[in-house]
Amino acid sequence: MRICSIHCSGYHGLHFITVIILYLAKVASSSNYCTKNSTCWPDDDVWLSFIDDMSVVKGDGLYAGKDKVFNVTSPDEDYKKCLEAGADAYDIAESSNGLCMQAHHCSFEFCDSSKDYNLPAYTVIVETEDDIQRTLQFANTYNIAVSVKTTGHSYSGSSTQRDSILIWMAYFEVHGDVFLRDENVTDIGFCENITMKLTNDIIKIGGGATWGVAYDIASKYGYDMVGGGGLTVSAVGGWLQGGGLSALSPSYGLGIDNVIRFDVILANSSIVTADECNNQDLFWALRGGGGGTYGIVTAAYYKLYEMKPVTTLNMFITLGGVETESCADSIPECPIIAYSGLCTTYYNLCPVSCVWGCSANQVDYESYIASVTSFVNFWVESSPFMDRRWGGYWTGSSLSLTFVGNSEDADSSYGKNVSEWLSLLPDKERNHIWMSMDEHPSYWDSRERGNSTDATGQEELNLSSRHVPRDWVIENKTNAKSVLTELALNLDGTLVTSYLLHGAIADVSSSSTSINPSMRSALWSVHTIAYSSTNDAYNQIIRNAVPNSISGSCYNHGSYKEPDWMNAFWGANGGKLFELAQKYDPEKRFNCWHCVGFVNPPDNELVTYSPSSSREETFSPTSLPSIFASEEPTSDEIFSSGPTNSPEYIPMISSLPSMFESGEMLTSSPSTSPELIPISTPSPSISDNDKTLTSTPSTSPEKLVMPTSSPIMFATEGPSITIARKDSSYPSTSPEMRPASSPAVLPLEGPTSGETSSLVNVVGVRGLVIVLLMYDFLY
């Protein structure tokens, strides 16, 4: 086993071998978990005593007055409630006593739906620190593994574990106390070294808070926060402990750069503080080492930022054609789709569906492909040099960016660059593109103050992520353009909403926090989805371009299929994290897949860590500039960006070629209506080697796109999936947020014999499958 790079000393190599040997011995002796099928499992009387001791839920909401402890007696039946929640992230988070995963395939072992369920034996609703302590004490007594979950947004399966006791944090305290640096911040009890350097006001966020709740509380005091895109994501759980990417990260840093202190309950049930002065190594581990591993975070003390104007820039490249006046009469489904809640939500897809069903001409693939290729080239050339006030999401055919500042500054710093690029495109290519730039009073206002959040509930989601170094992009522009173009126009997968990084993210030393050091020097976090759940070749394209030796994977958006995942997720910091997991949880009470020190219960096999040969281990818990990273961006600082106001993970229209299997394009059959002219769509050619979509010459007229005045194209300001809205009846810990019913989805039934075979029917169904690959992000 290759333990250390050529830069490491022999002592470090021997020391790490010793740590692994000791840890393996410890696991063999003490982590041979008691499971449901073993004789050591507590009998019914013991469990009933524990259930009585934990009592009932005292707060409001769905489980008020019910037992805090839930026995998972029938995984199939119990998990059905999760599936019945549909795409509503709020309902999924609340259903079935905390069993549900937002990506359902991760309810199975290793997120593989062909395997058995990977569900806990019992779930425990915890409302107080005492609830957590008593649960841990019970688990320690009977040597039962413990897993931790708030709302289940792990897309690599790290918030569930078979035969464990699941500590469900969704009903835990929210807190929300604000401490002013010039008045009462000393009430927190920070050590003098922290207090003297504080330049921000502070908020205390409890373990039960989601980002929708945290944003809303902060806004009432006039603040914005560095937080997640999905409003149902836990504010101090996996999102924060896995790094914490945000729309505001290029301006203010990652989530882990904004936390000042953690309140933590360790596996032995003791309560500790982790900050720059206390348990520094634990503070380091919790800032990037992943959730559910070193302890249970019950509260985080977090920087606040005074609300400022925020400007959003949205740009989308879409397919299109020209609708006929007879469309509504000939194919009723088109106007039904166009004016339903479905189409106002998926406006970037629906016009294409309607156009394909109602167009007198071919869809112009040739100019669409040219538009995408031109955009990729523009993005590679311009993104490395953006003002750090820009942050946001992007794909191979879209921008959804956030700028901390007014629209005038936004336009002068980058908006004009996008406009100039558009102005130089031929008309045929420019007609595929929609763009808007809007100023908002604050970041929370740009998110419509939590009016909606993202759809989840995917049954399969082969997601992957990869950090792309800024220097690599600058020095390898041709290669970068080629890789992104292949990802954007590939039939085996799609380039989904990726992050723009750098700026304040890069201001922090790579050894100051425990995330993969590659994130600090990255320009992009590229996120891809392979359409196949069994073949990962598409996701491997970006791994091959920027391998672990110079890069890594974003843990919170990592693949459940990620090869060499310890190195990919944590790089040079993996070795120290392995040591700290053993230090703070020597009995390996906390256990989860894709977590440091994971033990597979059936055979008690430990997943060990072996650093890549080109890496050097780095660890400096006493060097903590990250919590005092640059507070305010300046107009002349240039570098990069990060996430935006738009809900995360939106497979844009470049994914539409995936609807065509083996290069076979969808066409319409002859119409029985004299008013409808059938569509003839050009077939793309596909390279046998990379299956990249290319266009055959089009015989269609020049104008084949949706007219820019189309009301459908401007039905919404962005591509938000809005399946949940504010209400007043979500659990007591978050009264402000509650889902509304999903937008109307009208059935798209196929034509009966003798009727027009409309492409709307086929594209409507198959296209929705692709669009529903939107997910929030997890973290």
Side-chain angles (χ1 to χ4, degrees):
M1 178 172 64
R2 187 67 178 271
I3 295 296
C4 201
S5 75
I6 58 174
H7 303 291
C8 297
S9 68
Y11 167 77
H12 286 145
L14 290 173
H15 173 68
F16 187 70
I17 292 173
T18 301
V19 170
I20 292 294
I21 292 173
L22 290 175
Y23 195 64
L24 285 168
K26 189 72 174 178
V27 168
S29 63
S30 64
S31 291
N32 194 3
Y33 294 119
C34 185
T35 59
K36 291 178 72 172
N37 294 325
S38 56
T39 58
C40 60
W41 192 251
D43 60 29
D44 290 346
D45 289 339
V46 173
W47 282 110
L48 287 173
S49 178
F50 176 58
I51 292 170
D52 289 341
D53 182 53
M54 293 300 294
S55 188
V56 298
V57 176
K58 297 178 177 60
D60 299 327
L62 181 64
Y63 299 97
K66 297 183 179 179
D67 288 336
K68 291 180 179 178
V69 182
F70 174 73
N71 183 5
V72 184
T73 56
S74 174
D76 281 321
E77 289 301 316
D78 291 331
Y79 204 82
K80 276 184 180 179
K81 299 173 185 176
C82 305
L83 300 175
E84 290 168 359
D88 192 316
Y90 288 99
D91 278 354
I92 293 172
E94 192 179 6
S95 294
S96 202
N97 291 81
L99 282 184
C100 306
M101 300 294 286
Q102 299 286 344
H104 295 306
H105 63 103
C106 281
S107 63
F108 298 96
E109 289 181 343
F110 311 119
C111 297
D112 184 344
S113 56
S114 68
K115 296 185 179 298
D116 293 333
Y117 273 112
N118 189 38
L119 299 177
Y122 284 82
T123 68
V124 182
I125 297 174
V126 293
E127 297 181 285
T128 65
E129 289 180 334
D130 183 63
D131 287 343
I132 296 174
Q133 288 178 300
R134 285 188 290 159
T135 302
L136 288 171
Q137 290 162 5
F138 182 88
N140 286 330
T141 298
Y142 294 97
N143 194 24
I144 300 172
V146 170
S147 52
V148 187
K149 179 191 290 182
T150 306
T151 53
H153 285 273
S154 171
Y155 293 92
S156 56
S158 61
S159 56
T160 185
Q161 182 60 49
R162 187 176 63 181
D163 287 349
S164 68
I165 297 177
L166 171 67
I167 292 180
W168 189 25
M169 296 290 291
Y171 280 72
F172 196 79
E173 297 168 272
V174 168
H175 295 304
D177 307 308
V178 171
F179 301 88
L180 306 180
R181 67 185 183 278
D182 296 328
E183 296 181 21
N184 64 338
V185 74
T186 54
D187 295 346
I188 301 175
F190 289 146
C191 65
E192 185 178 356
N193 190 39
I194 295 176
T195 304
M196 289 181 62
K197 291 187 286 186
L198 273 179
T199 57
N200 296 72
D201 296 332
I202 302 296
I203 186 172
K204 180 181 181 181
I205 312 173
T210 59
W211 274 115
V213 173
Y215 284 138
D216 199 51
I217 293 173
S219 71
K220 292 174 181 176
Y221 292 94
Y223 296 103
D224 275 325
M225 301 174 66
V226 175
L231 301 183
T232 57
V233 170
S234 169
V236 303
W239 177 90
L240 180 57
Q241 295 169 59
L245 280 170
S246 167
L248 304 179
S249 288
S251 293
Y252 304 129
L254 299 170
I256 55 176
D257 303 330
N258 283 271
V259 65
I260 307 298
R261 188 174 90 179
F262 291 106
D263 291 341
V264 189
I265 300 181
L266 300 179
N268 63 8
S269 78
S270 63
I271 300 175
V272 301
T273 292
D275 58 21
E276 184 179 347
C277 304
N278 306 284
N279 298 301
Q280 294 178 349
D281 55 357
L282 178 60
F283 185 51
W284 180 84
L286 290 172
R287 290 182 300 145
T293 302
Y294 314 95
I296 296 176
V297 172
T298 58
Y301 298 79
Y302 206 75
K303 294 180 184 179
L304 293 168
Y305 295 89
E306 182 181 347
M307 281 184 168
K308 292 183 176 180
V310 162
T311 301
T312 55
L313 187 157
N314 292 294
M315 185 281 297
F316 308 104
I317 304 175
T318 64
L319 287 163
V322 179
E323 292 191 29
T324 64
E325 292 182 0
S326 60
C327 172
D329 295 330
S330 302
I331 305 181
E333 293 92 339
C334 279
I336 290 175
I337 293 175
Y339 298 109
S340 68
L342 178 67
C343 202
T344 56
T345 297
Y346 303 108
Y347 80 100
N348 60 315
L349 175 65
C350 286
V352 178
S353 300
C354 293
V355 166
W356 279 353
C358 309
S359 176
N361 304 295
Q362 295 177 333
V363 178
D364 190 350
Y365 292 102
E366 185 173 15
S367 61
Y368 167 74
I369 292 169
S371 300
V372 171
T373 303
S374 178
F375 167 67
V376 167
N377 293 342
F378 166 75
W379 184 242
V380 170
E381 294 285 348
S382 64
S383 60
F385 308 103
M386 292 175 69
D387 187 307
R388 65 164 62 203
R389 290 173 293 175
W390 281 102
Y393 309 125
W394 59 277
T395 73
S397 59
S398 70
L399 291 174
S400 192
L401 304 178
T402 296
F403 177 80
V404 180
N406 60 42
S407 57
E408 182 178 354
D409 289 344
D411 187 59
S412 63
S413 60
Y414 191 67
K416 65 179 181 181
N417 300 59
V418 181
S419 298
E420 289 172 2
W421 163 70
L422 282 170
S423 68
L424 296 174
L425 293 176
D427 288 346
K428 288 180 65 175
E429 295 176 25
R430 190 166 57 251
N431 286 338
H432 286 274
I433 301 171
W434 176 89
M435 173 184 167
S436 71
M437 195 159 65
D438 304 285
E439 183 177 325
H440 310 272
S442 69
Y443 173 67
W444 189 225
D445 285 293
S446 76
R447 299 291 309 274
E448 296 181 329
R449 290 188 165 259
N451 185 55
S452 61
T453 193
D454 313 344
T456 57
Q458 300 84 3
E459 293 193 18
E460 295 286 346
L461 189 67
N462 190 0
L463 164 71
S464 184
S465 66
R466 181 73 17 180
H467 303 146
V468 179
R470 179 174 181 268
D471 289 346
W472 182 86
V473 174
I474 294 173
E475 296 167 6
N476 299 273
K477 289 181 179 178
T478 300
N479 194 10
K481 293 172 184 177
S482 175
V483 170
L484 290 188
T485 301
E486 182 177 5
L487 292 172
L489 297 173
N490 200 295
L491 296 181
D492 291 331
T494 185
L495 182 65
V496 293
T497 309
S498 302
Y499 285 79
L500 185 61
L501 307 179
H502 237 260
I505 299 172
D507 292 342
V508 179
S509 166
S510 62
S511 63
S512 296
T513 59
S514 54
I515 57 166
N516 192 319
S518 64
M519 183 176 283
R520 298 295 181 184
S521 57
L523 173 63
W524 307 320
S525 183
V526 173
H527 300 172
T528 56
I529 290 178
Y531 295 139
S532 171
S533 62
T534 58
N535 187 343
D536 210 37
Y538 174 78
N539 290 333
Q540 193 64 35
I541 293 171
I542 189 66
R543 293 191 193 114
N544 292 340
V546 280
N548 285 347
S549 58
I550 63 170
S551 178
S553 175
C554 175
Y555 176 66
N556 283 342
H557 307 93
S559 172
Y560 67 93
K561 293 178 175 291
E562 186 66 42
D564 190 18
W565 56 267
M566 278 289 292
N567 273 310
F569 293 151
W570 291 290
N573 289 330
K576 189 63 183 181
L577 287 170
F578 207 97
E579 292 183 40
L580 293 174
Q582 193 273 338
K583 174 182 177 179
Y584 284 100
D585 184 15
E587 302 297 323
K588 198 67 192 76
R589 186 59 50 225
F590 300 116
N591 195 37
C592 50
W593 171 231
H594 281 135
C595 296
V596 173
F598 168 71
V599 175
N600 192 13
D603 53 14
N604 289 290
E605 177 186 355
L606 173 70
V607 177
T608 59
Y609 168 75
S610 176
S612 299
S613 59
S614 60
R615 295 191 184 278
E616 180 176 359
E617 291 193 65
T618 59
F619 174 60
S620 178
T622 58
S623 174
L624 299 169
S626 60
I627 64 171
F628 301 107
S630 59
E631 309 301 335
E632 302 291 337
T634 57
S635 59
D636 58 347
E637 288 178 303
I638 300 177
F639 276 108
S640 72
S641 311
T644 142
N645 65 300
S646 176
E648 299 189 35
Y649 296 99
I650 306 158
M652 297 304 177
I653 210 70
S654 63
S655 65
L656 280 174
S658 66
M659 292 185 234
F660 317 127
E661 298 175 358
S662 304
E664 180 182 359
M665 307 300 290
L666 301 172
T667 59
S668 65
S669 62
S671 169
T672 57
S673 168
E675 298 171 327
L676 179 67
I677 304 174
I679 306 166
S680 175
T681 55
S683 298
S685 60
I686 306 172
S687 166
D688 291 334
N689 295 326
D690 59 11
K691 293 189 179 180
T692 301
L693 180 69
T694 58
S695 174
T696 56
S698 173
T699 58
S700 58
E702 287 192 1
K703 295 280 186 177
L704 296 180
V705 298
M706 181 73 72
T708 55
S709 60
S710 167
I712 303 174
M713 290 293 290
F714 293 90
T716 62
E717 292 185 1
S720 305
I721 291 294
T722 53
I723 56 85
R725 293 185 170 83
K726 283 187 177 180
D727 199 282
S728 57
S729 57
Y730 199 47
S732 57
T733 54
S734 52
E736 291 86 358
M737 303 299 296
R738 176 63 186 166
S741 58
S742 301
V745 180
L746 297 171
L748 301 177
E749 299 178 356
T752 58
S753 177
E755 292 181 335
T756 302
S757 177
S758 167
L759 287 179
V760 175
N761 300 311
V762 184
V763 175
V765 174
R766 304 179 80 180
L768 281 177
V769 172
I770 294 168
V771 171
L772 287 176
L773 287 174
M774 295 190 60
Y775 54 101
D776 59 338
F777 250 350
L778 152 66
Y779 296 137

